[in-house]
């Protein structure tokens, strides 16, 4: 009997530790709800304002210990406008997920988590243009994770979201693309190991900025951007299987930013040593849509301000209208392998693969099995260069389709929230 009673007590305690699911419904919920499916709360902004999600400091002490939503729980957002998601600080022992309910179109103006750990934002449409009235504040970055506080932050994740300034840019001027367009996702600058996964980022200035060590950007689409699509700026970051397409505005339009599909430099310094970065399987297309206003040139993968130590750059397909297809400056012990650089616009701007130098520190790199219009390795007298060939249209078309197939197998042919194709096929 005592054994049975002990087992019963353990089962009850285990039940208390199970993750719970709560609901927000802008149309049918309200402050008198309990967060259940039958009696949902209102918007996620109201839930946060009412302190219904437990927020702990880095030592685990909760500012609101009686809050019903705790580490490991999920808050599902039903269709409608949910305001903004602003969390100053919150450290969780297991992931708290704020996500669109299955089949729902949950909309917010912006997302910001200053510092914390184990937050997951999933499946939302993020745009200030959807607000029923103009928002009092629109941050420069529509999703910002880990920009405040100390170095304790980690594992802040945004995934499966559709993020854009506005869908209607038909009347935008070149100045609007420079000054009016918000930027997409900012990971960092504090902490480590944040992630942007399978988001569709559209009509923005900068696409995705990785600003803390160990951050990951994988499976995203950055479409119609006016500056850099993805920036990797700290050690141990990975940029993999993203689609980058349609650069807009350039020097001729008054934009002095030197646009890159993927750019690498040391955060907040501009030049200095960056280590152990992986750039793999990215598809970069200067212009998928030939009818866009303000077409411009874009560099493919530009890493100009090293030293760059132990980089892996492999299996990328780059189709740009600039000399710099893949360029690594002051690279040391880096590998550039199995990439394709091609242009389909003719003219003199034919992308190369280059080992360059500003500090005369390039040494000991390996470049093999690539296709490009030309190569330059003179900066590295110790380079191992093998089986690099001139690219052809046939090689580019085959490798383009092969990589597009792989990305679609991993993340889907159509983005689940944007309902837009990742890439158009000729």
């Amino acid at each position: 009997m005592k054994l049975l009673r002990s087992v019963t007590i353990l089962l009850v305690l285990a039940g208390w530790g199970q993750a719970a699911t709560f609901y927000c419904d802008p149309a049918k919920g309200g402050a008198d709800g309990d967060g259940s499916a039958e009696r949902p709360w209102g918007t996620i902004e109201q839930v946060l304002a009412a302190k219904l999600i437990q927020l702990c400091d880095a030592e685990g002490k909760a500012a609101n210990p009686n809050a019903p939503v705790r580490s490991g729980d999920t808050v599902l957002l039903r269709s409608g406008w949910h305001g903004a998601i602003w969390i100053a600080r919150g450290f969780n022992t297991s992931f708290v997920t704020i996500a669109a309910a299955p089949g729902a179109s949950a909309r917010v103006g912006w997302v910001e988590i200053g510092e914390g750990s184990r937050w997951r934002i999933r499946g939302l449409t993020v745009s200030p243009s959807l607000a029923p009235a103009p928002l009092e504040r629109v941050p420069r970055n529509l999703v910002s994770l880990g920009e405040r506080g100390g170095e304790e932050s980690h594992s802040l994740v945004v995934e499966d979201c559709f993020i854009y300034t506005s869908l209607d840019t038909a009347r935008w001027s070149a100045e609007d693309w420079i000054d009016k367009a918000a930027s997409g996702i900012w990971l960092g600058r504090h902490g480590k190991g944040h992630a942007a996964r399978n988001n569709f980022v559209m009509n923005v200035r900068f696409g995705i900025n990785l600003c803390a060590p160990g951050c990951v950007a994988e499976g995203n689409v950055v479409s119609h951007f006016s500056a850099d699509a993805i920036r990797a700026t700290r050690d141990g970051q990975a940029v993999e299987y993203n689609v980058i397409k349609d650069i807009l505005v350039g020097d001729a339009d008054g934009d002095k930013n030197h646009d890159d599909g993927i750019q690498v430099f040391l955060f907040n310094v501009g030049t200095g040593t960056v280590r152990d970065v992986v750039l793999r399987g990215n598809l970069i297309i200067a212009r998928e849509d030939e009818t866009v206003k303000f077409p411009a040139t874009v560099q493919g993968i530009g890493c100009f301000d090293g030293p760059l130590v132990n980089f892996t750059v492999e299996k990328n397909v780059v189709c740009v209208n600039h000399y710099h297809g893949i360029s690594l400056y002051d690279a040391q012990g880096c590998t550039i392998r199995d990439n394709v650089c091609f242009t389909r616009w003719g003219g003199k701007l034919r992308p190369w693969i280059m080992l360059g130098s500003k500090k005369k520190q390039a040494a000991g790199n390996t470049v093999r099995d690539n296709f490009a219009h030309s190569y330059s390795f003179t900066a590295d007298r110790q380079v191992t260069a093998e089986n690099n060939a001139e690219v052809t249209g046939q090689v580019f078309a085959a490798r383009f389709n092969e990589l597009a197939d792989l990305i679609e197998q991993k993340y889907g042919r159509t983005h689940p929230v944007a309902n837009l194709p990742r890439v158009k096929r000729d």
Side-chain angles (χ1 to χ4, degrees):
M1 183 66 70
K2 289 183 179 179
L3 178 60
L4 180 60
R5 184 178 301 156
S6 298
V7 171
T8 302
I9 291 172
L10 287 174
L11 289 173
V12 170
L13 291 174
W16 287 349
Q18 290 179 353
T21 300
F22 299 87
Y23 295 83
C24 291
D25 190 328
K28 299 179 180 179
D32 58 345
D34 58 11
S36 65
E38 296 76 20
R39 297 181 59 219
W41 294 314
T43 68
I44 187 62
E45 184 175 47
Q46 292 167 345
V47 165
L48 291 167
K51 300 181 179 180
L52 297 176
I53 301 179
Q54 192 176 89
L55 300 174
C56 297
D57 62 19
E59 286 72 42
K61 183 178 179 181
N64 50 340
N66 296 320
V69 184
R70 305 186 177 199
S71 288
D73 291 347
T74 296
V75 182
L76 294 179
L77 311 187
R78 291 175 177 164
S79 294
W81 172 254
H82 282 267
I85 296 175
W86 161 230
I87 299 169
R89 178 171 64 174
F91 290 84
N92 302 303
T93 56
S94 54
F95 271 99
V96 171
T97 299
I98 300 174
S105 174
R107 304 185 293 274
V108 299
W110 48 269
V111 177
E112 186 171 342
I113 301 175
E115 60 174 320
S117 63
R118 300 186 180 94
W119 291 92
R120 182 185 292 115
I121 307 298
R122 176 188 289 160
L124 308 183
T125 300
V126 182
S127 176
S129 69
L130 298 171
L135 299 177
E136 292 183 4
R137 179 173 81 94
V138 177
R140 181 172 58 181
N141 297 284
L142 298 178
V143 176
S144 176
L145 307 177
E147 175 57 10
R148 302 172 184 266
E151 299 302 317
E152 301 87 358
S153 295
H154 65 89
S155 307
L156 304 177
V157 178
V158 55
E159 60 187 15
D160 301 339
C161 290
F162 185 23
I163 302 164
Y164 57 89
T165 306
S166 174
L167 288 182
D168 184 5
T169 61
R171 297 183 180 180
W172 278 18
S173 64
E175 291 76 14
D176 288 333
W177 278 105
I178 299 168
D179 299 326
K180 183 177 181 178
S183 293
I185 298 171
W186 181 278
L187 300 182
R189 107 195 96 157
H190 297 294
K192 61 184 179 180
H194 311 313
R197 184 176 298 112
N198 193 25
N199 302 286
F200 203 112
V201 181
M202 185 174 178
N203 295 343
V204 291
R205 179 66 170 156
F206 292 90
I208 301 172
N209 282 279
L210 309 182
C211 306
C215 285
V216 174
E218 63 179 17
N220 303 284
V221 178
V222 179
S223 175
H224 296 79
F225 60 101
S226 65
D228 300 331
I230 299 178
R231 285 179 160 184
T233 65
R234 299 288 289 276
D235 294 350
Q237 296 182 343
V239 180
E240 300 183 292
Y241 304 109
N242 302 281
V243 174
I244 294 166
K245 56 186 183 179
D246 288 319
I247 179 66
L248 302 168
V249 306
D251 281 341
D253 307 301
D255 186 4
K256 298 305 180 183
N257 186 77
H258 295 146
D259 303 328
D260 295 274
I262 299 172
Q263 185 180 19
V264 180
F265 61 92
L266 183 61
F267 181 83
N268 219 26
V269 178
T271 181
T273 302
V274 184
R275 302 176 184 272
D276 304 319
V277 170
V278 175
L279 309 175
R280 178 183 292 121
N282 300 285
L283 181 56
I284 303 174
I285 313 163
R287 190 164 63 250
E288 185 181 67
D289 181 0
E290 295 292 346
T291 67
V292 296
K293 291 175 62 178
F294 314 116
T297 60
V298 65
Q299 299 167 159
I301 296 176
C303 312
F304 303 113
D305 297 291
L308 314 170
V309 179
N310 195 34
F311 276 41
T312 299
V313 183
E314 64 181 8
K315 299 184 182 300
N316 302 282
V317 175
V318 177
C319 183
V320 295
N321 45 6
H322 200 283
Y323 293 118
H324 291 292
I326 298 174
S327 295
L328 273 62
Y329 278 46
D330 294 300
Q332 302 171 14
C334 297
T335 298
I336 303 174
R337 177 177 56 217
D338 199 22
N339 302 280
V340 175
C341 296
F342 180 74
T343 187
R344 64 186 186 197
W345 292 278
K348 296 181 179 181
L349 297 177
R350 294 156 59 87
W352 57 44
I353 293 177
M354 169 185 278
L355 292 172
S357 180
K358 294 181 179 180
K359 300 180 179 180
K360 298 183 179 180
Q361 295 183 19
N365 301 287
T366 299
V367 188
R368 60 162 56 103
D369 302 327
N370 300 284
F371 292 92
H373 289 287
S374 61
Y375 300 85
S376 177
F377 309 141
T378 56
D380 181 3
R381 295 182 180 180
Q382 304 171 17
V383 65
T384 299
E386 301 173 340
N387 198 34
N388 299 295
E390 184 174 358
V391 70
T392 66
Q394 291 79 8
V395 167
F396 165 72
R399 291 291 298 276
F400 175 95
N401 286 316
E402 178 183 316
L403 180 54
D405 287 343
L406 177 60
I407 291 173
E408 291 173 352
Q409 289 168 12
K410 286 177 173 289
Y411 302 100
R413 188 176 183 88
T414 301
H415 188 268
V417 177
N419 198 30
L420 294 170
R422 294 183 187 276
V423 62
K424 294 179 181 178
R425 309 291 187 111
D426 291 334

